[in-house]
Amino acid sequence: MKILATLLFAGSVLLTPIESNENTMVKGILYSDGGTVSVTLSGDSIIGIERTADTGPDSRSYVAPGLIDVQINGYMGIDFSGPDLTVEGVKKATKALWKAGVTSYFPTIITSDIALIKKNFAILAEARKDPEIGMSIPGFHLEGPYISPIKGFRGAHLEKYIKDPDWEEFQAIQKAADNGIVLITLAPELKGAIDFIRKCVDSGVVVSLGHHNGSASDVQKAVDAGARMATHLGNGCANEINRHHNPLWPQLSNDAITTSIIADGFHLTKEEVRSFYKAKGVENTILVSDALDLAGLPPGEYTRGERTLLLTPNVVKLPKENVLAGAASPISKCVGVMMDYTQCTLKEGIRMASTNPAELFALKDIGSIEQGKRADLIVFTMENNQMTIKKTYVSGQLVYSQD
């Protein structure tokens, strides 16, 4: 076993390992400060970080913690809310996400028939037990059905399945999910929502406000009950709202709320992203993809369940409602767009796409590069604020290589 010599740099502990044939060396430019490093992996953990003069063939590649996407509805044709979901499908989507630099994600199920929601969460729970991909699925996200039924605010969610919060019903859904639901998006203005939020929080589920038309009072009551997030702020919102009294200002102004945003370059304007970022700061912003299963497929019209969707090269639309139905890009694209729109640093972009979600959801073993953390890493290049993934490691294992 190797001996580690401890050094201190930039406020963190630097562990310099002595070489061992049984370990893996990941070299590149450290995302947080631009210095070249060699990160040593042993088993599923990071055991050393050594400063190097250069990285040889990896001299243009960055090393960062793997990306964490807490809102993703599907990928590469696999719909987590669809009637044909299988464990093999979840494995396919997970492996495709590895190629996009996503090492952990919350499969997200949206508003639909309760029986289908239970069925699909049970499938996701089974997939989570799979030794090949299970480490990449720390939990699930339920988006709906307890959201606003009003057109615009409900987005692409089907109105006929939307309902008021029902604690017994949610407990049955959580049981089907093998207690894997760690995030729920709901509307605080619905009947019984505040008491429901308290019960969710007491059970360990993070509550996020989204697809709602809540007043400032509704938002404050939800926060007082324990709500901590706003889901894809600026989306799941009517096209026309009152300039003074709308759901945006109360969430932006409340310091207790961490906002998630879809910074794909199409869901929000540059000015919206900049304003949200300035209001919340890097410490209270989380990037999400909100990608649908159509992400990665050829543009065109697709039928998904009871919805006909239009996939463009950039987004997914629901023409019937004249709203966006979801994103067509992985979260890795959002990092570059965020850097372009706000002039934030790569370190800050990675923080919003990895470190912040890890901290909010108490995923203590991932989200940063530190000795003793799980070895979830990505190696990538950045050109014109576009991230190209070269290698992805999950639990110390190389699960994707561009070579």
Side-chain angles (χ1 to χ4, degrees):
M1 211 47 171
K2 81 172 44 176
I3 299 172
L4 300 177
T6 306
L7 302 174
L8 191 66
F9 79 105
S12 11
V13 173
L14 178 65
L15 296 170
T16 306
I18 299 171
E19 285 296 331
S20 170
N21 292 331
E22 65 188 39
N23 298 328
T24 300
M25 312 294 286
V26 180
K27 299 180 180 181
I29 303 167
L30 189 62
Y31 78 102
S32 57
D33 64 14
T36 55
V37 294
S38 179
V39 182
T40 305
L41 320 182
S42 181
D44 64 356
S45 301
I46 298 171
I47 66 165
I49 308 167
E50 181 182 7
R51 287 294 188 190
T52 59
D54 63 72
T55 58
D58 298 308
S59 60
R60 293 177 60 251
S61 296
Y62 289 89
V63 181
L67 306 181
I68 303 171
D69 193 347
V70 302
Q71 184 174 7
I72 180 163
N73 309 282
Y75 202 64
M76 287 298 289
I78 307 302
D79 182 3
F80 300 138
S81 298
D84 302 318
L85 185 67
T86 64
V87 171
E88 285 303 312
V90 179
K91 292 177 71 171
K92 176 185 175 183
T94 304
K95 293 177 181 180
L97 286 168
W98 288 341
K99 297 179 181 180
V102 178
T103 53
S104 294
Y105 71 102
F106 294 174
T108 302
I109 289 182
I110 67 167
T111 303
S112 63
D113 178 74
I114 296 299
L116 179 60
I117 289 176
K118 290 180 181 178
K119 171 177 172 284
N120 283 10
F121 270 127
I123 292 168
L124 289 172
E126 188 65 27
R128 194 180 176 199
K129 298 174 185 175
D130 187 279
E132 186 178 13
I133 66 162
M135 294 296 283
S136 287
I137 307 176
F140 313 132
H141 180 175
L142 174 60
E143 185 187 0
Y146 314 127
I147 59 173
S148 173
I150 300 172
K151 184 176 180 179
F153 295 104
R154 68 174 181 257
H157 293 238
L158 294 177
E159 182 182 7
K160 67 178 182 177
Y161 294 123
I162 293 172
K163 54 175 65 177
D164 289 336
D166 183 326
W167 179 245
E168 289 188 5
E169 181 178 74
F170 175 69
Q171 285 182 300
I173 296 171
Q174 183 70 290
K175 182 178 179 181
D178 196 21
N179 292 313
I181 300 171
V182 296
L183 173 61
I184 184 170
T185 292
L186 54 76
E189 72 272 22
L190 298 181
K191 181 181 178 181
I194 302 305
D195 185 55
F196 182 87
I197 290 171
R198 289 194 189 96
K199 290 177 178 177
C200 283
V201 172
D202 288 343
S203 72
V205 176
V206 173
V207 175
S208 187
L209 309 181
H211 287 282
H212 73 91
N213 188 25
S215 65
S217 176
D218 293 325
V219 171
Q220 186 58 55
K221 288 177 183 177
V223 168
D224 291 342
R228 300 173 63 192
M229 251 184 88
T231 292
H232 54 42
L233 190 67
N235 294 110
C237 187
N239 290 329
E240 295 184 4
I241 55 178
N242 186 288
R243 63 176 175 155
H244 297 302
H245 305 290
N246 60 63
L248 300 180
W249 307 140
Q251 294 174 103
L252 275 176
S253 64
N254 196 310
D255 293 338
I257 292 180
T258 293
T259 58
S260 71
I261 61 174
I262 310 167
D264 62 354
F266 300 95
H267 273 75
L268 297 170
T269 66
K270 181 177 181 179
E271 292 72 27
E272 286 174 302
V273 172
R274 287 174 59 83
S275 297
F276 293 174
Y277 179 71
K278 287 182 177 182
K280 288 299 180 181
V282 65
E283 64 276 6
N284 289 313
T285 302
I286 288 177
L287 299 181
V288 294
S289 72
D290 196 28
L292 294 188
D293 65 299
L294 301 181
L297 299 181
E301 191 172 271
Y302 292 83
T303 299
R304 287 296 183 265
E306 301 172 58
R307 305 182 301 170
T308 298
L309 304 176
L310 178 64
L311 172 63
T312 75
N314 304 306
V315 294
V316 183
K317 299 180 179 180
L318 180 65
K320 181 180 178 181
E321 297 275 348
N322 189 31
V323 295
L324 297 179
S329 304
I331 194 174
S332 48
K333 180 177 181 181
C334 297
V335 174
V337 171
M338 198 70 181
M339 292 173 65
D340 181 43
Y341 280 7
T342 68
Q343 301 303 302
C344 73
T345 64
L346 177 61
K347 177 183 178 180
E348 292 166 334
I350 294 294
R351 175 173 177 176
M352 291 182 280
S354 183
T355 310
N356 285 354
E359 290 179 350
L360 182 63
F361 292 93
L363 306 175
K364 297 180 180 179
D365 58 342
I366 57 178
S368 60
I369 297 180
E370 298 177 42
Q371 188 267 342
K373 293 267 189 173
R374 199 172 86 194
D376 284 11
L377 302 173
I378 52 174
V379 179
F380 59 97
T381 58
M382 291 293 294
E383 293 185 17
N384 299 319
N385 287 335
Q386 293 187 5
M387 180 182 287
T388 300
I389 306 299
K390 301 295 184 181
K391 294 180 181 179
T392 303
Y393 294 84
V394 176
S395 295
Q397 301 297 311
L398 180 64
V399 295
Y400 168 70
S401 177
Q402 191 182 59
D403 300 331

